[in-house]
Structure formats: structure tokens, C-alpha cells
Amino acid sequence: MSRRNQINDDNDDKRHDEDFFGAHNKRQETDLSGGIGGKSLWDAARDIVTSREKAETLPTESNTVLFVGSRTGGKTTMILRYLERTNEAAKPTIALDYNYAKKPKTIDTIGKDVGHIWELGDGTFLTKLIDVVLTPETIANASVVLVLDLSQPQELWHTYQTLYEAIAKRIKYCINEASKQNPYIKEKLKQSVLKRLGNAVRLDKGEIEPLRIPLLIVGSKYDLFQTLEPDAKKSIIKTLRFLTYYHGATLMSYSEKQESVHLRAMINHFLFDTSLSNKQPQIDYQKPLYVKSGSETPEQIGPPPIPEYELGDLRENSPIAVWRAAYCKRFPQEIEKRDPSLTQDYGRDPQYADASIDAMREQKMSELQRYLTMKNRSHS
């Protein structure tokens, strides 16, 4: 390790939380007219109004939640339910969708906290758009909700792996960039991981690979999942429990037919830093799942869902690779492939119609067609 890296690591070990807004100097005016307590009632009233006006204009440190996951996993419905917009019909998400939520502050403050909710559409095909949401500026206050369709076990691992690897890579980049301005961010996020998992966890042992920001894994379409064979359900749930443990996440199931109190509480926690209950894990595959981060151990989860006599045939050298091999042997993964020429042209979708933009689009398409025609004539 170079001396420069050593110095950076030493700096990362120091913990120093700076005030987000900086120090505010309070100035009191002396009542020259001899009012009660050295200040007249007019001055006291004016100070109260001024302080409220300042509080209303102060920026707030907002949290961001990114929803990713299976293409038809129900992400949009989850968000609409959370925002209490149940009268709206969920439409397929095109690329990235943005919403926000507001929560009143405490009685001692003015204004509201704003939480940003982003949804990545199209399953695993638009992972590059994760860069729009997770940035060096937002990474310290960001969380991820990974939605996996329990009714499609043949796509579950591929969806998880593709999205998780893209997110983990982006987080690493953002932290490295953010640390150039704030050398304490690595230590801050590390302490957040330890708080979620328990301070007894040793991150340097290599037995787990926790995501550096909070992660919630949601097993959606739980009602359809219940129609699977018992052995299949046990294998899926066991694998999700391992992924939850390995990545320091929280796990819960979800069905559009039932309201999820845990999901609402978790989104509130991500957006507004509210407290979570210490509910005991619910791991029975016949009941709604709930496993809070740091509440399970490898001994409780048990071995991968594969016969013991076949475990010796696996030539993997890491826990995650062993579980991947076991799961994919039980559920061979079907990777969706698309012909780009068959991709829907959302620019002509009536729900996104805009007269000025559509006119400009037609003009550019006409110019492109004329160019291609002229080019073909020159080559003929």
C-alpha cells in the first residue's frame, strides 16, 4: 500500500459529522425603548416572523430511494400505493420514472421533508440509467429497493445478479468520487452498515458482501408464488434469505392483493429516517416474509437448496458462487433477449403526445429520410 493510500485510509478512520447547514449566528437586538426583558413586543414578534421565513427557505437534506427489479414485478403499484394514489392505474414504466413524497417535520420546525422516489423500468435492460439516480451528490442519502418476481424463479437469479452488480459498481464509483470532497463519507457509510447488521459483524472476514447503502429485497407476486410446489417455494425462500444475509439487506414479500404495513414502514424509513420495529423474523414460506437486516445467521439459514451428496460436485470458491450454482441447477435461468427492431416506439405513444415535440420529431425524421435517400443515390 502506498503512503498516499495509507494516509487516505487513516483519514477515513476519523469520524467527524459536520453541520449540513453550517453554524448560524443568532443576533439579538437591544430594545432601546426600554421594553420588557430588554426587547419590545414588536421586536419579539418581528424576530419570530423572520426566523420562520428563514426556516421556510432553508434547504433540506433529502433522501433518495431507487426501485429496480423484475419488469412486471409490480414496482409501480408499490409506489402508487405508498403515495396513496390508488385511483391511478399502473402503467408500464418507460426508462426512469420520478415521484416525490412529503412528510411534515416536527412541531418545532417549519416546512416539510421531501423524499425522492425513482423507478427504473424495463427490468435488466436499462441499467445504465442507474447513473442518473445514484450520483456522488446523492449516494450518502440513497437506498435501493430490489423487487424480484417470486412467480418467475427461472428469471429471479439473473434479474438479481444483473441489477445488483450494476448498482454495486455504481455505488463504488460514487463513493470514490464523493470522498474527494468529503473524506469521511466512507467511514460514515461503513458505520451505517455496522449499525444495520450489528457491531459484532466482521466486514473484513470476507464471509459477507454488504451493499454500502441500505437495501430492501422485495419478493413480489407472493399470491402467485403460493401456487408453486412446496419444495420449489422452500428453495426460493431459502436462497432469498441467504442473499439478504450476504448483502446486509432486509427481506419481505409483497402481494398486490394485500396492503403491506412493513413495506410502507420501510419506505418511510428510507425516505425520512423513521424508526423500524424490532419484529421477529417471519421465515415460514407459507406466511408473508419479513427478515430485518442483521437478524439471521448462516446457521439459521442452513446449506444451499441442493442435495448434500451434490454439494461436493460444486467447484465454487465463494459462498455466493455456491448458492448461485445450487439455485441455477434447481431453476435454470431463462435470459430474455430482444430484437431491437421490435422495440416499441414510445415516441408515438398517445399518452406521451406533445404537439410541439411531435412536430419537431416529424421534421427531423423527414430530414433523416432525405439524407438517407441522397446517400443511397450517391452509392448507386
Side-chain angles (χ1 to χ4, degrees), residues 210-320:
L211 197 66
R212 295 301 176 179
I213 63 176
L215 172 65
L216 169 65
I217 299 176
V218 178
S220 68
K221 298 192 177 179
Y222 188 70
D223 51 329
L224 298 179
F225 167 78
Q226 291 295 345
T227 64
L228 301 179
E229 294 294 328
D231 286 344
K233 291 191 287 187
K234 290 179 182 179
S235 298
I236 295 169
I237 296 306
K238 200 172 189 181
T239 300
L240 288 180
R241 288 171 60 195
F242 167 77
L243 293 178
T244 299
Y245 162 77
Y246 191 74
H247 295 310
T250 292
L251 171 66
M252 65 180 64
S253 59
Y254 174 83
S255 170
E256 294 183 6
K257 295 183 178 180
Q258 296 179 339
E259 183 69 26
S260 175
V261 176
H262 294 311
L263 180 59
R264 175 171 292 275
M266 201 70 195
I267 298 176
N268 276 333
H269 175 66
F270 283 169
L271 289 176
F272 306 116
D273 300 320
T274 56
S275 300
L276 292 173
S277 65
N278 292 321
K279 178 179 171 57
Q280 292 297 313
Q282 170 52 259
I283 58 176
D284 187 344
Y285 67 90
Q286 296 181 340
K287 298 179 181 180
L289 294 170
Y290 180 75
V291 181
K292 188 178 178 182
S293 59
S295 62
E296 282 205 292
T297 65
E299 291 74 23
Q300 293 172 319
I301 298 171
I306 190 173
E308 290 187 11
Y309 64 85
E310 294 185 14
L311 281 175
D313 296 334
L314 300 179
R315 297 292 184 265
E316 311 295 345
N317 54 10
S318 68
I320 190 70

Side-chain angles (χ1 to χ4, degrees), residues 275-374:
S275 300
L276 292 173
S277 65
N278 292 321
K279 178 179 171 57
Q280 292 297 313
Q282 170 52 259
I283 58 176
D284 187 344
Y285 67 90
Q286 296 181 340
K287 298 179 181 180
L289 294 170
Y290 180 75
V291 181
K292 188 178 178 182
S293 59
S295 62
E296 282 205 292
T297 65
E299 291 74 23
Q300 293 172 319
I301 298 171
I306 190 173
E308 290 187 11
Y309 64 85
E310 294 185 14
L311 281 175
D313 296 334
L314 300 179
R315 297 292 184 265
E316 311 295 345
N317 54 10
S318 68
I320 190 70
V322 171
W323 280 81
R324 178 181 63 242
Y327 181 87
C328 294
K329 186 171 184 177
R330 177 70 174 81
F331 302 102
Q333 296 297 282
E334 299 175 3
I335 301 175
E336 182 182 3
K337 297 180 180 180
R338 300 186 192 177
D339 183 348
S341 64
L342 301 178
T343 303
Q344 181 179 349
D345 185 358
Y346 293 106
R348 299 189 183 279
D349 194 317
Q351 67 174 314
Y352 304 112
D354 184 288
S356 59
I357 295 177
D358 291 343
M360 180 60 68
R361 185 179 190 273
E362 292 301 326
Q363 177 184 333
K364 295 299 182 183
M365 291 300 293
S366 298
E367 293 175 358
L368 175 61
Q369 189 61 46
R370 287 195 299 270
Y371 168 77
L372 293 176
T373 301
M374 294 176 62

Side-chain angles (χ1 to χ4, degrees), residues 107-296:
I107 195 172
D108 299 325
T109 58
I110 304 297
K112 295 181 178 180
D113 283 328
V114 177
H116 306 289
I117 304 174
W118 291 87
E119 179 190 353
L120 178 67
D122 222 13
T124 61
F125 287 90
L126 299 173
T127 56
K128 190 60 181 174
L129 292 179
I130 292 171
D131 298 2
V132 176
V133 183
L134 301 181
T135 68
E137 292 73 28
T138 64
I139 197 65
N141 299 295
S143 304
V144 173
V145 178
L146 174 57
V147 179
L148 300 174
D149 188 344
L150 294 177
S151 69
Q152 301 293 329
Q154 73 278 6
E155 299 177 3
L156 187 147
W157 190 281
H158 171 71
T159 300
Y160 144 73
Q161 184 172 356
T162 303
L163 291 170
Y164 182 88
E165 289 180 352
I167 289 169
K169 181 179 179 180
R170 179 60 181 175
I171 289 173
K172 182 179 180 180
Y173 169 81
C174 291
I175 293 175
N176 287 336
E177 290 298 306
S179 64
K180 296 176 182 178
Q181 301 295 326
N182 177 11
Y184 309 105
I185 187 171
K186 291 183 179 180
E187 181 63 23
K188 177 183 177 182
L189 292 176
K190 180 180 179 180
Q191 294 302 320
S192 296
V193 171
L194 291 174
K195 183 178 180 180
R196 291 195 297 274
L197 301 184
N199 291 323
V201 174
R202 290 285 303 278
L203 300 181
D204 58 348
K205 293 177 66 177
E207 296 178 356
I208 61 174
E209 185 182 290
L211 197 66
R212 295 301 176 179
I213 63 176
L215 172 65
L216 169 65
I217 299 176
V218 178
S220 68
K221 298 192 177 179
Y222 188 70
D223 51 329
L224 298 179
F225 167 78
Q226 291 295 345
T227 64
L228 301 179
E229 294 294 328
D231 286 344
K233 291 191 287 187
K234 290 179 182 179
S235 298
I236 295 169
I237 296 306
K238 200 172 189 181
T239 300
L240 288 180
R241 288 171 60 195
F242 167 77
L243 293 178
T244 299
Y245 162 77
Y246 191 74
H247 295 310
T250 292
L251 171 66
M252 65 180 64
S253 59
Y254 174 83
S255 170
E256 294 183 6
K257 295 183 178 180
Q258 296 179 339
E259 183 69 26
S260 175
V261 176
H262 294 311
L263 180 59
R264 175 171 292 275
M266 201 70 195
I267 298 176
N268 276 333
H269 175 66
F270 283 169
L271 289 176
F272 306 116
D273 300 320
T274 56
S275 300
L276 292 173
S277 65
N278 292 321
K279 178 179 171 57
Q280 292 297 313
Q282 170 52 259
I283 58 176
D284 187 344
Y285 67 90
Q286 296 181 340
K287 298 179 181 180
L289 294 170
Y290 180 75
V291 181
K292 188 178 178 182
S293 59
S295 62
E296 282 205 292

